[in-house]
C-alpha cells in the first residue's frame, strides 16, 4: 500500500484524466496509472476522487509501466482504482509539498529543460516538478484563435516562463467564468506552488512542459 496527496489533475484525450501526487510514505512524486491504460477513464476518476489535496491509497501492481524515461521515474501501475482516505487543508498541503519544491524550474528538470519549454525523451530527470512562486509573479493569458490558456510566471531564480495550462480545474474556470476569474484568483493569493509536468513526447523526442496545477496559499 502507498499513499499520496494529490497535487495535480489534468485532462487528456477524449475526456480522460491523468493524476499525480506527492508520496506520504517516503519522498518523491508518484503518477498512478491504471493496469492497462496510460490514464484514467472519467467513470473511474469520478466527480471527487481525483482532486488536489485528497489523500489516496494505492495498491501497486508490482510491474513497470513500460514507458521510457523521464516518465517511468514517477509512474506506478496500480492494481485497482485508488481509494480516497482523507484530505489535507491548505496549510497541511503546503507543509507536505515543501520538501519536494525545486529551487528553480530548470533545476527541477536537472538542467535538461531546453529553451524553457521541453525535455528530450529518454532523459534521466524528473517528469513532474514543483516550484514556489511569490504573489504577483504570475498571471494567466489566452493565446490564439482557440483561446489556449497559458500561465506566465517567474520562478524562484527570477527566470520567466510562459507555458500552456492543462490543470483540469483551472480550465473549467476558464470555460465557465472566463479569464477575468482566473486573474482575480491569482491576484488574491500571496504565494503559489506551480506544478509543471511533461507531455508525452512528439516524434522528434520533444516532451513539452505544461502547467499541471497552480496551488494558491
Amino acid at each position: 500500500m502507498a499513499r499520496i496527496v494529490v497535487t495535480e489533475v489534468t485532462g487528456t484525450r477524449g475526456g480522460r484524466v491523468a493524476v499525480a501526487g506527492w508520496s506520504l510514505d517516503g519522498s518523491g512524486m508518484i503518477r498512478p496509472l491504471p493496469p492497462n491504460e496510460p490514464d484514467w477513464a472519467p467513470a473511474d476518476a469520478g466527480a471527487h476522487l481525483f482532486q488536489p489535496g485528497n489523500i489516496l491509497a494505492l495498491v501497486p501492481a508490482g510491474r513497470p509501466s513500460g514507458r521510457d524515461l523521464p516518465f517511468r521515474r514517477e509512474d506506478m501501475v496500480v492494481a485497482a482504482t485508488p481509494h480516497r482516505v482523507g484530505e489535507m487543508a491548505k496549510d497541511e498541503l503546503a507543509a507536505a509539498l515543501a520538501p519536494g519544491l525545486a529551487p528553480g524550474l530548470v533545476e527541477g528538470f536537472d538542467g535538461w529543460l531546453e529553451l524553457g519549454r521541453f525535455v528530450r525523451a529518454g532523459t534521466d530527470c524528473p517528469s513532474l516538478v514543483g516550484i514556489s512562486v511569490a504573489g504577483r509573479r504570475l498571471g494567466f493569458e489566452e493565446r490564439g484563435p482557440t483561446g489556449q490558456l497559458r500561465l506566465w510566471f517567474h520562478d524562484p531564480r527570477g527566470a520567466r516562463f510562459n507555458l500552456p495550462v492543462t490543470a483540469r480545474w483551472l480550465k473549467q474556470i476558464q470555460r465557465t467564468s472566463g479569464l477575468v476569474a482566473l486573474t482575480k484568483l491569482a491576484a488574491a493569493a500571496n504565494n503559489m506552488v506551480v506544478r509543471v509536468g511533461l507531455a508525452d513526447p512528439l516524434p522528434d523526442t520533444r516532451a513539452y512542459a505544461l502547467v499541471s496545477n497552480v496551488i494558491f496559499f
Side-chain angles (χ1 to χ4, degrees), residues 5 9 11-13 16 20 29 55 78 148 185 190 202:
V5 57
V9 184
T12 63
R13 69 201 187 288
R16 297 179 69 87
M29 291 295 296
I55 300 172
V78 298
Q148 181 194 57
L185 190 64
N190 293 319
L202 299 174

Side-chain angles (χ1 to χ4, degrees), residues 40-98:
W40 295 90
D44 292 327
H48 305 291
L49 177 62
F50 293 153
Q51 290 189 358
N54 278 359
I55 300 172
L56 304 182
L58 314 173
V59 179
R63 60 179 177 82
S65 68
R67 300 207 297 172
D68 198 359
L69 289 168
F71 305 97
R72 73 175 182 226
R73 282 180 56 156
E74 293 95 358
D75 284 354
M76 176 188 286
V77 180
V78 298
T81 303
H83 289 76
R84 181 182 180 278
V85 295
E87 181 180 0
M88 283 191 176
K90 282 191 175 183
D91 57 341
E92 295 175 311
L93 182 58
L97 297 184

Side-chain angles (χ1 to χ4, degrees), residues 67-179:
R67 300 207 297 172
D68 198 359
L69 289 168
F71 305 97
R72 73 175 182 226
R73 282 180 56 156
E74 293 95 358
D75 284 354
M76 176 188 286
V77 180
V78 298
T81 303
H83 289 76
R84 181 182 180 278
V85 295
E87 181 180 0
M88 283 191 176
K90 282 191 175 183
D91 57 341
E92 295 175 311
L93 182 58
L97 297 184
L101 298 181
L105 191 60
V106 173
E107 290 92 335
F109 290 108
D110 291 348
W112 292 103
L113 187 67
E114 298 185 35
L115 303 177
R117 293 186 294 167
F118 63 86
V119 171
R120 298 286 179 178
T123 302
D124 190 3
C125 72
S127 66
L128 297 164
V129 172
I131 58 169
S132 177
V133 176
R136 303 189 185 281
R137 299 285 282 174
L138 61 71
F140 294 94
E141 63 182 41
E142 294 175 332
R143 183 179 295 183
T146 62
Q148 181 194 57
L149 184 62
R150 300 181 69 92
L151 184 78
W152 64 262
F153 60 93
H154 294 266
D155 76 356
R157 299 293 195 198
R160 190 181 192 277
F161 300 88
N162 189 311
L163 300 175
V165 175
T166 58
R168 189 169 63 163
W169 77 281
L170 293 173
K171 297 191 75 171
Q172 178 65 26
I173 291 176
Q174 181 196 23
R175 287 191 296 270
T176 59
S177 303
L179 187 64

